[in-house]
């Protein structure tokens, strides 16, 4: 008989819990409002985190690259072998990969044809990764095709591809996340495939970990070009990365703003629900005050009700958002568990905190109003 | 010494340019062990008087003394504290909380005093008003008379000095009203408390030690 209710030590919580249980439909609707608010904040936040992770993964391979191509004042309309030597001298330990490029049509046995970019180079293993097959050490023979082209044309490892009348055996399929945009459509051949060409179309410099991409860019720039003569064009992706980064930050702020609006709407709903239920219970609160419950105790009780709505809606919202996050990360990145990295899981925390804070703020006025109602007035029906 | 004393209490309302003296210079006192019944026509100021005695309202002018202390100028929170410790209330409409059990309703005034556990006293009080088999029932599952007995037990939980009742038998039939009044009479003696009851009920007058009649905010003697 003396079994105590677990909330007995927290009278405000006990009373708030019982009160919420009285009108379950109303409690459920208020909770649903908060849930939607939390889901919109948390899932939009997690979506930007997913996009960010994807962008970072894609840009990572490019961050140490400097690309050199012929400038408008280049007499050769390409980079000469001597210029490649100069670049090698200028860049020290960095790997220098000169390449020639062209465009060709690949055809499948079933007659399908696609246009692809062809690039011819020696140190293919320094620039490309394969998901299947391999890249031979000194890329003298064989070919590499992108995953997308291989799929389209039904090309398997060992199959032949033709370029300029020559047959090359496919020795590797490029992995899909290669460079900006993920799916570069390219056919990679040995340098000998374009031996008719004297100059190189571009030179890629792969900086070593200690080297600054910006410094390499500036060094090459100043040694080849003068103020009014652009012999070479030198580009790196550091600025691209920066731009993408700041774009994503803006995107995140915008999306979080939209998410917060729905939580503001939800807290207005809570304000309404709490006002309605305290007005309905005016007589009851008058009795509480008459039998000696203080204004502070009434205030705490009603505030606790509002906070409970926030906690229940918040927890449910976090559960739903975590599910949405897993789906998002599976869909965008193919790795669902990345959703639980701090970069994205932080938004679950923000959603929860926001829900509790918004509910508490919405509860303040109804609680204050109920607590300060004079018991004589409240008791007169 | 009287438990509660009103001295020259006036309650004045200003409504729409009109001035109404709901109470016009009333002197009132109640002692331990006595039941005072306040009677009078509707609108004569009975509830207003009871609200002054119960420290729910303060007089416009005049003094209020509780156990000899002048509480007239107490703050809202101090008055609440006095009500909690010294005054019990019983209402015509019972005013129990529907989501709490009978025992919890009785404990309600002490609910926020987490240091003291009044559960045993609550159960004891419910036994004494004959509800030992209804401890975990909620108000909607109780009859009117049973609800009023829960309300009486609630009024006594903090061992008050005075119990105030506004039409305690107003919603009950004759027989049930009589058992409630028997109950109050027994408790008045066993607990040695003052009971002040407002009523239209002739029956209640028979139980009174003293009757005060109000007419237009004045006490008729
Ligand atoms: N808040 C108020 N504002 C203005 N007038 C009031 C207020 N409260 C009470 N009155 C007036 O004071 C007078 C006494 O009211 P009170 O409620 O004490 O009467 P009562 O004797 O309890 O009547 P009943 O038997 O109908 O309950 C009435 O004329 C009422 O209109
Ligand atoms: Mg009245």
């Amino acid at each position: 008989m003396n079994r105590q209710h677990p909330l007995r030590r927290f009278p405000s919580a006990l009373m708030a819990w019982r009160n919420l249980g009285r009108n379950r439909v109303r409690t459920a609707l208020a909770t649903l409002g908060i849930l939607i608010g939390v889901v919109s904040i948390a899932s939009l936040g997690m979506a930007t985190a997913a996009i960010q992770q994807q962008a970072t993964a894609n840009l990572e391979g490019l961050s140490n690259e400097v690309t050199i191509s012929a400038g408008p004042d280049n007499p050769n309309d390409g980079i000469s072998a001597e210029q490649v030597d100069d670049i090698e001298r200028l860049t020290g330990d960095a790997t220098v990969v000169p390449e020639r490029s062209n465009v060709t049509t690949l055809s499948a046995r079933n007659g399908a044809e696609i246009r692809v970019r062809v690039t011819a180079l020696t140190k293919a293993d320094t620039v490309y990764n394969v998901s299947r097959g391999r890249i031979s050490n000194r890329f003298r023979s064989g070919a590499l095709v992108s995953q997308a082209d291989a799929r389209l044309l039904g090309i398997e490892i060992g199959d032949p591809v033709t370029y300029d009348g020559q047959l090359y055996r496919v020795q590797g399929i490029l992995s899909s996340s290669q460079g900006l945009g993920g799916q570069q459509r390219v056919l990679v051949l040995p340098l000998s495939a374009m031996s008719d060409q004297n100059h190189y179309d571009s030179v890629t410099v792969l900086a070593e970990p200690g080297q600054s991409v910006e410094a390499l860019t500036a060094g090459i720039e100043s040694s080849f070009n003068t103020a009014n003569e652009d012999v070479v064009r030198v580009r790196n992706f550091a600025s691209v990365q920066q731009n993408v980064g700041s774009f994503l930050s803006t995107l995140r702020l915008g999306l979080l703003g939209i998410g917060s609006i729905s939580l503001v709407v939800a807290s207005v709903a809570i304000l309404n629900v709490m006002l309605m239920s305290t007005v309905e219970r005016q007589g009851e609160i008058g009795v509480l005050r008459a039998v000696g419950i203080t204004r502070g105790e009434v205030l705490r009780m009603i505030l606790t009700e509002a906070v409970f709505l926030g906690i229940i809606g918040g927890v449910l919202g976090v559960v739903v958002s975590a599910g949405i996050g897993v789906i998002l990360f599976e869909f965008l990145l193919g790795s669902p568990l990345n959703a639980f990295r701090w970069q994205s899981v932080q938004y679950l925390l923000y959603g929860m905190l926001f829900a509790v804070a918004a509910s508490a703020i919405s509860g303040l006025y109804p609680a204050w109003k109920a607590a300060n109602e004079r018991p004589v007035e409240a008791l007169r029906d | 010494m009287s438990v509660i004393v009103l001295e020259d209490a006036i309650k004045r309302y200003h409504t729409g340019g009109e001035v109404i003296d709901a109470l016009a210079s009333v002197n009132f006192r109640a002692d331990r062990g006595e039941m005072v019944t306040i009677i009078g026509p509707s609108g004569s100021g009975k509830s207003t008087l009871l609200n002054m005695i119960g420290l729910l309202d303060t007089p416009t002018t005049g003094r209020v003394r509780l156990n000899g202390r002048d509480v007239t100028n107490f703050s809202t929170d101090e008055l609440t504290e006095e009500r909690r410790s010294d005054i019990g209330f019983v209402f015509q409409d019972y005013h129990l909380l529907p989501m709490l059990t009978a025992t919890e309703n009785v404990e309600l005034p002490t609910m926020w005093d987490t240091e003291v556990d009044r559960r045993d006293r609550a159960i004891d009080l419910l036994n004494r008003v004959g509800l030992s088999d209804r401890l975990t029932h909620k108000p909607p599952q109780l009859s009117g008379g049973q609800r009023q007995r829960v309300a009486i037990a609630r009024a006594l939980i903090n061992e008050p000095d005075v119990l105030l009742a506004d039409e305690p038998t107003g919603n009950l039939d004759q027989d049930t009203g009589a058992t409630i009044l028997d109950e109050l009479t027994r408790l008045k003696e066993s607990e040695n408390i003052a009971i002040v009851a407002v009523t239209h009920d002739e029956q209640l007058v028979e139980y009174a030690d003293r009757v005060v009649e109000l007419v237009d905010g004045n006490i008729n003697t």
Side-chain angles (χ1 to χ4, degrees), chain A residues 18-19 284 289 297 374, chain B residues 57 83 97 99 104:
Chain A
R18 295 278 176 88
N19 281 327
E284 202 174 296
R289 298 277 294 104
E297 287 159 352
R374 296 182 58 231
Chain B
D57 211 350
R83 288 200 301 273
L97 299 198
M99 72 288 191
E104 287 167 338

Side-chain angles (χ1 to χ4, degrees), chain A residues 321-340:
Chain A
S321 309
I324 292 177
V326 166
I327 294 170
L328 267 175
F329 274 76
E330 164 64 28
F331 186 70
L332 289 177
L333 292 173
S335 42
L337 289 182
N338 277 15
F340 297 106

Side-chain angles (χ1 to χ4, degrees), chain A residues 77 99-102 163 193-201:
Chain A
D77 201 25
E99 58 186 286
R100 293 172 177 150
S101 52
N102 201 346
Y163 173 74
M194 296 189 197
S195 52
D196 54 330
Q197 206 175 312
N198 280 327
H199 301 298
Y200 297 101
D201 292 294

Side-chain angles (χ1 to χ4, degrees), chain B residues 46-47 166 198:
Chain B
K46 303 184 294 297
S47 296
D166 199 343
V198 163

Side-chain angles (χ1 to χ4, degrees), chain A residues 1-2 4 8-9 11-12 15 18-19 22 284 287-293 295 297 374 376 381, chain B residues 51 56-57 77 80 83-84 89 93 95 97-100 104 107-108 111-112 114 117 119-120:
Chain A
M1 188 84 285
N2 257 315
Q4 294 257 320
R8 193 64 181 76
R9 306 246 352 130
S12 300
M15 293 290 283
R18 295 278 176 88
N19 281 327
R22 285 163 75 176
E284 202 174 296
V287 173
L288 287 175
R289 298 277 294 104
V291 302
I293 308 303
R295 290 183 295 178
E297 287 159 352
R374 296 182 58 231
V376 207
D381 316 309
Chain B
N51 288 341
L56 290 170
D57 211 350
D77 292 333
T80 306
R83 288 200 301 273
R84 168 131 89 189
F89 288 91
D93 299 326
H95 284 313
L97 299 198
M99 72 288 191
L100 300 184
E104 287 167 338
E107 286 179 282
L108 183 66
M111 186 87 95
W112 271 265
T114 43
D117 185 0
R119 169 132 315 189
D120 290 340

Side-chain angles (χ1 to χ4, degrees), chain A residues 31-85:
Chain A
T31 306
L32 182 65
I34 287 289
L35 185 151
I36 293 170
V38 171
V39 167
S40 55
I41 284 200
S43 56
L44 288 176
M46 290 178 100
T48 55
I51 295 169
Q52 224 160 358
Q53 277 191 22
Q54 193 193 27
T56 317
N58 285 338
L59 290 172
E60 209 136 61
L62 298 174
S63 61
N64 65 337
E65 288 186 15
V66 180
T67 312
I68 301 130
S69 54
D73 305 316
N74 192 309
N76 306 319
D77 201 25
I79 310 285
S80 66
E82 295 82 61
Q83 284 173 322
V84 172
D85 289 344

